[in-house]
């Protein structure tokens, strides 16, 4: 895990806010990893103080909502 220098499936760089996702993962794992890392970015930027278990739960819930409601993402992106 992050404590032993192993980035696992993904990581992000705090200075640049770039997210890196390991290649070779199945699509669903890759999507989960990407969203998981984005939650870490938001957590750090807003100084929320989420622990890893909370990030995992948020990731699972949001990804399920987006997959169960395919029109939701386009709706949320609408400007008018």
């Amino acid at each position: 895990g992050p404590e032993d220098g192993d980035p696992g499936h993904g990581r992000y760089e705090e200075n640049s806010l770039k997210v890196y996702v390991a290649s070779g993962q199945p699509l669903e794992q890759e999507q989960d990893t990407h969203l998981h890392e984005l939650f870490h970015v938001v957590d750090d930027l807003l100084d929320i103080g989420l622990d890893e278990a909370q990030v995992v739960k948020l990731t699972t819930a949001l990804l399920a909502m987006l997959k169960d409601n395919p029109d939701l993402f386009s709706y949320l992106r609408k400007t008018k």
Side-chain angles (χ1 to χ4, degrees):
E3 299 80 22
D4 59 12
D6 175 10
H9 297 286
R11 65 182 173 82
Y12 88 96
E13 291 182 354
E14 291 181 39
N15 294 335
S16 66
L17 301 180
K18 287 185 180 180
V19 170
Y20 298 92
V21 176
S23 59
Q25 299 180 64
L27 178 60
E28 285 190 12
Q29 179 66 46
E30 187 175 287
Q31 293 166 330
D32 184 275
T33 300
H34 215 118
L35 188 56
H36 179 102
E37 295 306 322
L38 291 174
F39 271 119
H40 280 300
V41 171
V42 170
D43 178 43
D44 283 354
L45 285 174
L46 300 179
D47 196 27
I48 297 170
L50 297 171
D51 63 33
E52 189 66 17
Q54 291 170 319
V55 171
V56 168
K57 289 176 185 177
L58 284 167
T59 300
T60 300
L62 184 57
L63 196 53
M65 284 188 269
L66 290 171
K67 286 183 178 252
D68 290 346
N69 299 281
D71 296 330
L72 179 60
F73 192 69
S74 9
Y75 167 74
L76 293 174
R77 294 187 62 207
K78 282 187 179 182
T79 56
K80 293 183 181 185

